[in-house]
Amino acid sequence: MSTVDSDLGSPAKLPVWQTVKAGYGETTRNFGAFLTAAAVPFALSVTLAAIMAEAPERRSLTLLRSLLEITIIAVFEVAWYRHLLLKSPETRPRLLPRPGRRLVPYLGYAWLLGAASFPALIAMEPFAEGPGSALQIAIVIVLVGAALYLNIRFAFAFIWIAVDESGRLGDSWRRTKGNGLRLLAALALIAMLILGVLLVGILLLEFVFPDTMIMTRLGTTDADSGLHWVSLTSGQALTYLLYGVGCAAFVQALRSLGGWTGDQREILERFD
């Protein structure tokens, strides 16, 4: 029996700040499970980033990297969503991921929605040669915003797939009706808090060790320098933290908006 509640009624208003707090709180309380779920995908993401850092700048390679990144992140998200929703020994993440049959539909939707970001990636190509015009910047902002909005409105479908539920893109669109901007605001707050802590940490290091000039050197390091690898690894770590907290926030949003009424034992019986 499906646990996706189809009786929508009038849409509730998502409490943005409480959703952000829940995202950080759930990630903190389940940090060991988060690290386990992220370990292998994180290593693969660092490897991919290192390989692609040396690759020539071509549109085909940019799109290939996006598809590979989506695939790796999907393996992490399936395990993390299952744990966040059910928190049982059967669904606790393992070091070697076992997403099972649900990975295929998950990837299908992830690639489909990932394609929504391709126009933005293509529009960004002229910026590799220098600053763009005001019109080019505006076009990129609109394209990025549209891709984010679509991914947010369809986000609940991925949670349902992770636990073998029947809800899909249409159900997610209806369930998030009237809350798209609130979900976007919650995700923006999560990202701002993470980046804010990072910026404060860098500024403190530069204050204590002024000769390091970290902010200046980050954009000029070559691939063989130690700072390059620190930057690359730290960037991936922050990416996984953002995804981890974001997933936890979306699970909280799903509960808040009445899209989860499942019986844990009945769901577990359907798992691989």
Side-chain angles (χ1 to χ4, degrees), residues 149-170:
Y149 185 77
L150 285 175
N151 277 269
I152 284 170
R153 290 295 304 273
F154 291 133
F156 289 175
F158 295 99
I159 306 177
W160 289 321
I161 291 172
V163 290
D164 302 332
E165 284 305 296
S166 60
R168 292 298 185 263
L169 298 182

Side-chain angles (χ1 to χ4, degrees), residues 206 211-222 225-227:
E206 288 210 340
D211 294 335
T212 57
M213 296 184 294
I214 296 175
M215 292 292 286
T216 302
R217 294 172 60 195
L218 277 176
T220 59
T221 54
D222 57 60
S225 70
L227 189 57

Side-chain angles (χ1 to χ4, degrees), residues 80-94:
W80 184 226
Y81 272 140
R82 290 170 68 185
H83 178 73
L84 288 170
L85 274 173
L86 301 174
K87 295 191 180 75
S88 68
E90 296 95 327
T91 60
R92 186 172 179 83
R94 302 179 183 183

Side-chain angles (χ1 to χ4, degrees), residues 11-253:
K13 295 300 181 184
L14 182 75
V16 175
W17 182 241
Q18 287 87 335
T19 301
V20 173
K21 287 173 59 180
Y24 277 102
E26 282 292 284
T27 304
T28 302
R29 286 189 291 272
N30 297 277
F31 198 63
F34 165 74
L35 291 177
T36 302
V40 171
F42 170 76
L44 292 174
S45 293
V46 170
T47 302
L48 177 64
I51 293 172
M52 288 299 182
E54 296 295 312
E57 293 185 1
R58 295 176 185 170
R59 181 179 298 180
S60 58
L61 289 178
T62 299
L63 297 181
L64 175 62
R65 176 176 180 173
S66 297
L67 290 173
L68 292 174
E69 286 175 342
I70 290 170
T71 302
I72 295 169
I73 288 291
V75 173
F76 159 71
E77 287 182 340
V78 168
W80 184 226
Y81 272 140
R82 290 170 68 185
H83 178 73
L84 288 170
L85 274 173
L86 301 174
K87 295 191 180 75
S88 68
E90 296 95 327
T91 60
R92 186 172 179 83
R94 302 179 183 183
L95 188 59
L96 293 178
R98 292 180 58 188
R101 64 181 182 274
R102 61 199 59 85
L103 182 61
V104 174
Y106 197 103
L107 272 181
Y109 285 134
W111 284 337
L112 177 65
L113 290 176
S117 67
F118 290 167
L121 292 174
I122 294 171
M124 290 178 187
E125 287 181 355
F127 292 89
E129 301 175 359
S133 66
L135 178 60
Q136 287 175 316
I137 294 172
I139 290 173
V140 168
I141 291 174
V142 170
L143 291 174
V144 170
L148 271 175
Y149 185 77
L150 285 175
N151 277 269
I152 284 170
R153 290 295 304 273
F154 291 133
F156 289 175
F158 295 99
I159 306 177
W160 289 321
I161 291 172
V163 290
D164 302 332
E165 284 305 296
S166 60
R168 292 298 185 263
L169 298 182
D171 299 300
S172 179
W173 187 267
R174 288 187 290 272
R175 179 59 59 186
T176 56
K177 180 181 179 181
N179 286 289
L181 292 180
R182 288 174 176 267
L183 284 165
L184 182 59
L187 193 61
L189 278 173
I190 290 170
M192 288 170 61
L193 288 171
I194 292 174
L195 294 176
V197 170
L198 173 65
L199 181 59
V200 169
I202 291 176
L203 291 175
L204 285 175
L205 282 174
E206 288 210 340
F207 178 77
V208 177
F209 306 104
D211 294 335
T212 57
M213 296 184 294
I214 296 175
M215 292 292 286
T216 302
R217 294 172 60 195
L218 277 176
T220 59
T221 54
D222 57 60
D224 295 326
S225 70
L227 189 57
H228 167 79
W229 287 99
V230 170
S231 174
L232 188 149
T233 305
S234 300
Q236 290 299 324
L238 288 173
T239 298
Y240 273 84
L241 183 59
L242 175 59
Y243 275 107
V245 177
C247 287
F250 277 121
V251 167
Q252 174 62 26

